């Protein structure tokens, strides 16, 4: 028993060491640094397209790399691939399990993936020889729900789960290559860095973790949120992470100084953040909330500079096109809207 | 009971090892991190369509309407 007590003491002392090391590099705050920068002007985006077709709550959406096609997942048991320019449905894929919570578009455009309460990640080949979209692999190993998935390539995908772990999979063999364990609560969301070397996960233990994909190691852990982190994303230059939480705030954590730099919150906002995405330059942060709206934040000044209202239910997912031209919101009201 | 202690011990050892690793990483000054963030935003602002606005003629989501006068 004495040894465990010693280890506990060492853990506490190491946590204090980390806190002190973070403080030691805090020679200036971000707020100080941008004191002379003007807030961006009011951002007024309009709905340009409404994608209609799902018959139940939309839980997830993801843009393809061409910034035109996107995939959405709904608990009506369908994955729909949309041509967002024309609003046409390119594919309507019926799912074995309708309890879907996440979807992803492969960077190549050749595949989509989804998963949810079936604890599996199903990979669909969009470019099959006979033109039919079929299940290519069912990745089963998680012991909890699949909350998020993101392709690294046509051969590798990363998943996050309610079993508190993330997994790197070899799609061809359908097996797990690496387990990323360390979170003490359900993993809710993940995002891959622009250079594909690392990824970040947000969890119900109120922390975000940065993982080295090849080493399988957690490099950094970020706390500060007072409730579950539901949404996470990389700042476009790959040096910072943005998170959205049930505590009604979003935060920006800088990776190289290993700390939270800014919090995006307002006393008038009392509901959880469900989804988050940065604009192309990172200056705007778009966040979807439980109160049916999406708020647009000036990332440097932490002021709200716009609102996207138009959905009749919770905004569950949001994504900005890779070319930055538009953002898409998906909602429990069964519609997706494209804004710019 | 002894199984629990063994599992608890291993888990604690892992936590301590991870914390040691995280404590030892190199950290840059916040002033530099903040400066780089600000510079990135400002340098890329002009090519950020959501920030700058998208003219109708360049907006793929909004084909320009032609106006015919009869």
């Amino acid at each position: 028993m004495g040894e465990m007590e010693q280890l506990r003491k060492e853990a506490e002392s190491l946590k204090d060491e980390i806190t002190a090391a973070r403080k030691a590099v805090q020679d200036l705050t971000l707020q100080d640094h941008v004191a002379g920068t003007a807030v961006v002007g009011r951002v007024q985006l309009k709905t340009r397209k409404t994608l209609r077709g799902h018959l139940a709550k939309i839980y997830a959406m993801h843009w393809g790399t061409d910034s035109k096609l996107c995939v959405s997942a709904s608990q009506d048991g369908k994955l729909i691939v949309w041509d967002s320019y024309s609003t046409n449905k390119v594919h309507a894929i019926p799912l074995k399990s309708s309890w879907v919570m996440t979807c992803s578009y492969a960077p190549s455009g050749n595949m989509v993936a989804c998963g949810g309460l079936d604890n599996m990640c199903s990979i669909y080949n969009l470019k099959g020889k006979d033109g039919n979209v079929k299940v290519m692999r069912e990745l089963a190993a998680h012991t909890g729900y699949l909350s998020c998935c993101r392709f690294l390539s046509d051969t590798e995908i990363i998943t996050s789960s309610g079993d508190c772990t993330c997994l790197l999979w070899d799609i061809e063999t359908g097996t797990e290559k690496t387990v990323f364990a360390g979170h003490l609560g359900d993993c809710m969301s993940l995002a891959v860095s622009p250079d594909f070397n690392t990824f970040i996960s947000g969890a119900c233990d109120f922390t975000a973790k940065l993982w080295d994909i090849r080493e399988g190691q957690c490099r950094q852990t970020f706390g500060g949120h007072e409730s579950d982190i539901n949404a996470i994303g990389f700042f476009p230059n790959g040096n910072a992470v943005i998170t959205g939480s049930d505590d009604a705030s979003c935060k920006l954590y800088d990776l190289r100084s290993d700390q939270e730099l800014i919090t995006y919150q307002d006393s008038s906002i009392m509901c959880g953040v469900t989804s988050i995405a940065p604009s192309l330059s990172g200056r705007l942060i778009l966040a979807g909330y439980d109160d049916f709206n999406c708020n647009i934040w000036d990332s440097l000044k932490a002021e709200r500079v716009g609102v996207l209202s138009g959905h009749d239910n919770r905004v569950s997912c949001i994504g900005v096109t890779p070319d930055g031209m538009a953002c898409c919101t998906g909602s429990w009201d069964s519609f997706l809207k494209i804004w710019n | 009971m002894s199984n629990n202690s063994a599992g608890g011990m291993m888990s604690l050892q892992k936590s301590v090892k991870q914390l040691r690793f995280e404590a030892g990483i190199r950290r840059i000054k916040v002033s530099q991190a903040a400066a780089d963030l600000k510079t990135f935003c400002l340098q890329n602002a002009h090519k950020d369509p959501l920030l700058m606005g998208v003219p109708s003629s360049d907006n793929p989501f909004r084909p320009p309407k032609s106006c015919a006068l009869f």
Side-chain angles (χ1 to χ4, degrees):
Chain A
M1 281 306 122
E3 222 184 311
M4 279 187 66
E5 192 47 44
Q6 223 173 339
L7 280 173
R8 270 191 214 105
K9 281 207 174 118
E10 197 180 344
E12 284 313 302
S13 138
L14 283 165
K15 284 180 192 165
D16 290 340
E17 206 181 300
I18 291 171
T19 304
R22 284 170 170 165
K23 209 159 165 63
V25 293
Q26 224 174 70
D27 54 340
L28 202 69
T29 63
L30 175 58
Q31 289 83 330
D32 294 332
H33 196 84
V34 297
T37 309
V39 181
V40 301
R42 189 124 195 97
V43 175
Q44 279 168 320
L45 304 184
K46 297 202 172 85
T47 303
R48 301 297 178 193
K49 302 283 181 195
T50 298
L51 306 180
R52 297 164 214 275
H54 278 302
L55 303 171
K57 295 175 176 171
I58 290 171
Y59 274 80
M61 68 79 49
H62 192 217
W63 283 103
T65 43
D66 64 0
S67 295
K68 182 174 84 150
L69 299 183
C70 64
V71 63
S72 60
S74 162
Q75 294 204 346
D76 63 4
K78 290 243 171 30
L79 270 191
I80 299 181
V81 176
W82 309 83
D83 173 333
S84 62
Y85 293 176
S86 64
T87 74
N88 288 340
K89 298 173 193 46
V90 180
H91 300 287
I93 307 165
L95 305 174
K96 270 194 205 173
S97 163
S98 64
W99 306 111
V100 66
M101 295 172 69
T102 181
C103 62
S104 178
Y105 218 128
S108 64
N110 293 334
M111 302 170 188
V112 290
C114 69
L117 295 183
D118 58 355
N119 298 2
M120 290 196 312
C121 182
S122 301
I123 314 280
Y124 293 83
N125 183 358
L126 298 179
K127 308 284 171 84
K129 285 185 192 134
D130 53 0
N132 283 336
V133 175
K134 283 193 298 233
V135 182
M136 211 184 98
R137 286 288 178 275
E138 282 175 338
L139 309 175
H142 278 300
T143 54
Y145 60 86
L146 207 84
S147 53
C148 194
C149 57
R150 284 291 177 260
F151 283 92
L152 293 181
S153 65
D154 281 2
T155 55
E156 287 182 316
I157 191 166
I158 298 183
T159 56
S160 63
S161 168
D163 68 11
C164 309
T165 71
C166 297
L167 289 173
L168 169 68
W169 300 84
D170 178 325
I171 296 174
E172 279 175 72
T173 60
T175 56
E176 319 94 86
K177 276 168 116 161
T178 314
V179 186
F180 302 92
H183 274 299
L184 301 173
D186 300 14
C187 295
M188 297 302 289
S189 186
L190 76 99
V192 181
S193 63
D195 68 7
F196 290 90
N197 289 331
T198 58
F199 78 93
I200 39 171
S201 56
C204 292
D205 61 7
F206 310 174
T207 71
K209 283 180 182 287
L210 176 77
W211 306 88
D212 182 318
I213 296 175
R214 300 304 151 197
E215 301 289 313
Q217 156 113 56
C218 169
R219 293 231 207 104
Q220 291 167 258
T221 301
F222 301 96
H225 274 297
E226 293 166 356
S227 188
D228 303 352
I229 294 177
N230 298 318
I232 201 161
F234 267 95
F235 192 81
N237 69 356
N239 287 337
V241 164
I242 49 177
T243 54
S245 166
D246 270 346
D247 69 9
S249 78
C250 300
K251 286 178 187 290
L252 183 141
Y253 296 96
D254 182 82
L255 297 179
R256 294 177 308 158
S257 57
D258 185 44
Q259 56 193 274
E260 175 189 328
L261 291 192
I262 204 159
T263 297
Y264 308 96
Q265 67 190 357
D266 190 294
S267 52
S268 64
I269 304 172
M270 288 174 289
C271 61
V273 181
T274 60
S275 46
I276 198 163
S279 70
L280 195 71
S281 67
R283 187 63 195 268
L284 300 176
I285 291 177
L286 296 95
Y289 292 72
D290 283 342
D291 67 359
F292 311 177
N293 288 328
C294 178
N295 289 316
I296 305 177
W297 297 89
D298 176 330
S299 65
L300 297 179
K301 303 293 286 184
E303 286 188 33
R304 219 176 357 164
V305 294
V307 181
L308 300 179
S309 39
H311 281 294
D312 295 323
N313 207 323
R314 177 185 289 197
V315 173
S316 56
C317 50
I318 195 165
V320 172
T321 55
D323 64 6
M325 286 295 276
C327 91
C328 176
T329 49
S331 166
W332 279 10
D333 69 8
S334 83
F335 302 117
L336 295 137
K337 287 182 185 287
I338 315 278
W339 313 74
N340 67 11
Chain B
M1 272 301 123
S2 63
N3 272 345
N4 276 347
S5 303
M9 178 66 114
M10 270 204 62
S11 157
L12 252 183
Q13 280 170 339
K14 269 191 201 166
S15 297
V16 168
K17 190 172 172 207
Q18 179 61 34
L19 282 167
R20 250 189 233 132
F21 178 88
E22 290 183 26
I25 66 161
R26 198 182 142 261
R27 295 171 179 83
I28 68 168
K29 294 246 184 278
V30 172
S31 56
Q32 204 207 319
D36 289 350
L37 269 175
K38 177 176 150 190
T39 303
F40 185 86
C41 285
L42 297 181
Q43 275 179 353
N44 290 289
H46 68 281
K47 24 180 186 155
D48 186 338
L50 293 178
L51 190 59
M52 305 305 298
V54 186
S56 312
S57 50
D58 295 337
N59 193 346
F61 299 99
R62 197 184 179 201
K65 293 188 166 82
S66 54
C67 180
L69 294 169
F70 292 100

